[in-house]
Amino acid sequence: MNELVEVLRYLFLGLFQGFTEPIPVSSSGHLVILRELLDMNDPGITFEAFINFGSLIAVVIIYRKDIWQLMINGSHYLIKREQNTQQDFYYLFLLFIATIPAGVIGVLFNDTIGGISEHVKIVGVTLILTAIALWIIRNLNGYKGDAEITLTDAVIVGFAQSLALIPGISRSGATIVAAMLVGFNRRSALKFSFLMYIPVSIGTMVFAVSDVLSNPELSNQFVLYLIALVATIVASYFALLLFINVMTAGKLKYFAYYCMAVGALVVIFL
């Protein structure tokens, strides 16, 4: 019976984390709320690394054609200087620049950010801020496609991503809000936001490797982690498709309503 409960627990955590990761509601904030409601222990960095990898796989599957094109054309420009591939090389450069702020700020203020996650009411407030930001850009659809993105745009969106280190501030929400405010169209904002997630996710996994390998419980819990991983891939895949459809249809207000309602309930009752 205990084994079944553990399987269901990890399945639930995988589905929960996986579904909330791509959509603009803050998976980290929801995990803080979940721990408070159910009196759960922190699943730990090893589990987080597995979950992170699952969401990464889902993003790569959905954006596989864009990723392949950027890799091929970027390498062609780097090696052969083919002018028709220069734009894709520059796009990769902008993605690299955009990931720097979150990496630097994450390293410098990791302990401070970790302390914030202990205060559930702060998460409630940051969810409300996420809701307000989503509401502001709910009807925007800018003029900038992939070719019009500038270095300044990349830096601004990169700093927006660093805000998502705070639980309750959605990573996808923060980056898309910033992208839309500087003129991205919806498709380009979505693409840039989720391609930015790839290097950030890989970086998170690299930092977690030593903890994963030194975890004495990993061999005993590997099957449970694998169940959570598969659940995360499936949940993240469908959540991202849902988000793309909602964003394309200009219906971001529904995510704003949700974040406002959850944030208010957390502030009032938790």
Side-chain angles (χ1 to χ4, degrees):
M1 185 63 181
N2 288 337
E3 292 181 358
L4 177 60
V5 170
E6 279 294 280
V7 168
L8 292 175
R9 176 173 175 264
Y10 277 84
L11 177 63
F12 170 72
L13 284 173
L15 291 172
F16 182 84
Q17 284 273 90
F19 189 80
T20 56
E21 179 63 43
I23 61 178
V25 299
S26 178
S27 61
S28 59
H30 275 67
L31 185 59
V32 172
I33 297 169
L34 190 68
R35 290 205 308 260
E36 181 74 15
L37 289 173
L38 303 181
D39 195 25
M40 291 173 51
N41 294 324
D42 191 321
I45 194 169
T46 302
F47 181 76
E48 289 179 10
F50 269 77
I51 294 300
N52 180 73
F53 184 56
S55 293
L56 172 63
I57 290 174
V59 171
V60 170
I61 290 172
I62 290 177
Y63 282 99
R64 63 191 181 278
K65 293 181 180 178
D66 293 298
I67 294 168
W68 181 251
Q69 176 184 316
L70 288 169
M71 289 176 61
I72 294 299
N73 289 348
S75 60
H76 279 186
Y77 181 78
L78 192 62
I79 297 169
K80 302 179 181 179
R81 287 296 190 272
E82 296 177 357
Q83 291 303 308
N84 62 325
T85 61
Q86 183 177 11
Q87 183 57 51
D88 285 331
F89 177 80
Y90 185 63
Y91 191 92
L92 286 172
F93 170 72
L94 293 178
L95 287 173
F96 170 75
I97 293 298
T99 62
I100 293 174
V104 173
I105 293 173
V107 171
L108 293 178
F109 299 101
N110 183 60
D111 293 337
T112 302
I113 293 167
I116 293 175
S117 65
E118 301 298 321
H119 304 284
V120 70
K121 287 193 182 297
I122 293 179
V123 172
V125 172
T126 51
L127 278 172
I128 292 172
L129 294 176
T130 294
I132 294 171
L134 291 172
W135 180 260
I136 290 171
I137 61 124
R138 68 192 184 283
N139 295 322
L140 294 183
N141 192 9
Y143 62 93
K144 292 182 181 178
D146 296 347
E148 287 75 43
I149 301 172
T150 67
L151 181 61
T152 301
D153 295 336
V155 171
I156 291 172
V157 177
F159 273 104
Q161 180 166 247
S162 67
L163 293 176
L165 295 169
I166 303 171
I169 300 292
S170 163
R171 192 211 66 84
S172 61
T175 53
I176 285 174
V177 166
M180 298 297 287
L181 288 176
V182 296
F184 285 38
N185 62 41
R186 291 169 185 164
R187 177 191 168 279
S188 292
L190 279 164
K191 177 182 174 182
F192 198 81
S193 172
F194 284 103
L195 292 186
M196 280 175 66
Y197 174 75
I198 295 174
V200 169
S201 178
I202 292 173
T204 300
M205 289 190 297
V206 168
F207 278 110
V209 164
S210 60
D211 295 283
V212 171
L213 295 178
S214 62
N215 187 345
E217 298 182 356
L218 181 58
S219 59
N220 298 328
Q221 296 182 318
F222 184 75
V223 174
L224 294 174
Y225 280 32
L226 187 61
I227 290 171
L229 175 66
V230 173
T232 301
I233 295 171
V234 174
S236 290
Y237 178 83
F238 286 105
L240 181 49
L241 288 181
L242 170 68
F243 184 30
I244 291 172
N245 289 334
V246 171
M247 176 84 175
T248 304
K251 302 294 185 181
L252 278 176
K253 62 182 180 181
Y254 295 116
F255 289 118
Y257 294 153
Y258 174 82
C259 289
M260 180 63 72
V262 173
L265 288 171
V266 168
V267 171
I268 294 170
F269 295 108
L270 294 184

